[in-house]
Every structure is written in C-alpha cells, then in structure tokens.
C-alpha cells in the first residue's frame, strides 16, 4: 500500500492557524479519495475532511468555515489549512487514502491548541 507521511502539526494558541501536509510514497492517479481524520484524547477517531480526485469535498460540521482541504493532484499531496483553531481541535491528525480497494493511513501528526 501507499505510505503517507503527515507534517505540519505543532502547538498553537487558540485562534491561530496551522497547515498540515500529507505526502505519499509513490504517485497515483484518478479514482481516489484523500482526507484527514483526527482522534482527540478520550474520543473516537472522526472524519475531518476528505476530497476525491474529482473534487468532491466533505467536511465535519465542527470544522466547516474554519478548515479547508486542498489537493495537488500532480504531486498526489493533500493539505489541511486550519484557521481559528480551538482547544477542542487538539488531536492527532491522520492522513487517509482510498485508492481502489486499498486503504492507507499515515502515522499521524499532533496538533495541540492552547487556550
């Protein structure tokens, strides 16, 4: 399966911004979905946002208007721009790829938002 490497996590104050990146180990093309999930302490993993290679986007309600997912399909790289961060956004963020019948996950990058 494709290896995914997340980067861009860190510590920020509430109201700040971070941009996460997810880089794949190899190229791939049409018919895929890339996205971001997160798991906060004591909570289940949840979808944050995903985007198909055809441009179809889904966002969790709690991040709509604050987070933006984007893709560079030439590099098969996905980004998550996170603005107006809140303490409740604190979580490990995982990159996800659905490519045909295969599902790949990154190891995660930690985002900590302090009030």
């Amino acid at each position: 399966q494709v290896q995914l490497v997340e980067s861009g996590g860190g510590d920020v104050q509430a109201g700040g911004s971070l941009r996460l990146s997810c880089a794949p180990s190899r190229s791939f093309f049409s018919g895929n979905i890339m996205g971001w999930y997160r798991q906060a302490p004591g909570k289940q993993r949840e979808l944050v946002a995903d985007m198909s290679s055809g441009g179809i986007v889904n966002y969790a309600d709690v991040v709509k208007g604050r987070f933006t997912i984007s893709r560079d399909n030439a590099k098969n790289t996905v980004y998550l721009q996170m603005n107006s961060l809140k303490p409740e956004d604190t979580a490990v963020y995982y990159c996800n790829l659905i490519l045909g019948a295969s599902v790949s996950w990154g190891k995660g990058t930690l985002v900590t938002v302090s009030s």
Side-chain angles (χ1 to χ4, degrees):
Q1 63 180 3
V2 178
Q3 291 181 305
L4 304 171
V5 180
E6 303 98 334
S7 62
D11 300 340
V12 297
Q13 296 292 319
S17 297
L18 286 173
R19 184 175 177 86
L20 306 183
S21 299
C22 175
S25 61
R26 64 174 177 86
S27 297
F28 49 89
F29 302 99
S30 61
N32 64 82
I33 301 171
M34 297 189 73
W36 294 93
Y37 288 71
R38 69 186 183 186
Q39 188 163 20
K43 296 184 178 180
Q44 294 182 312
R45 184 170 56 183
E46 64 180 1
L47 173 70
V48 178
D50 61 24
M51 187 174 186
S52 74
S53 54
I56 305 300
V57 178
N58 293 298
Y59 288 102
D61 287 342
V62 293
V63 307
K64 287 180 180 177
R66 299 188 298 120
F67 291 10
T68 303
I69 189 170
S70 61
R71 294 181 56 150
D72 183 341
N73 287 334
K75 297 190 292 185
N76 290 313
T77 300
V78 65
Y79 306 93
L80 186 68
Q81 179 67 45
M82 305 185 294
N83 298 325
S84 301
L85 283 161
K86 303 174 181 179
E88 50 264 47
D89 295 318
T90 295
V92 177
Y93 285 71
Y94 298 92
C95 185
N96 169 263
L97 167 66
I98 302 172
L99 179 64
S102 298
V103 180
S104 299
W105 292 93
K107 293 183 179 180
T109 185
L110 177 63
V111 172
T112 301
V113 184
S114 301
S115 62

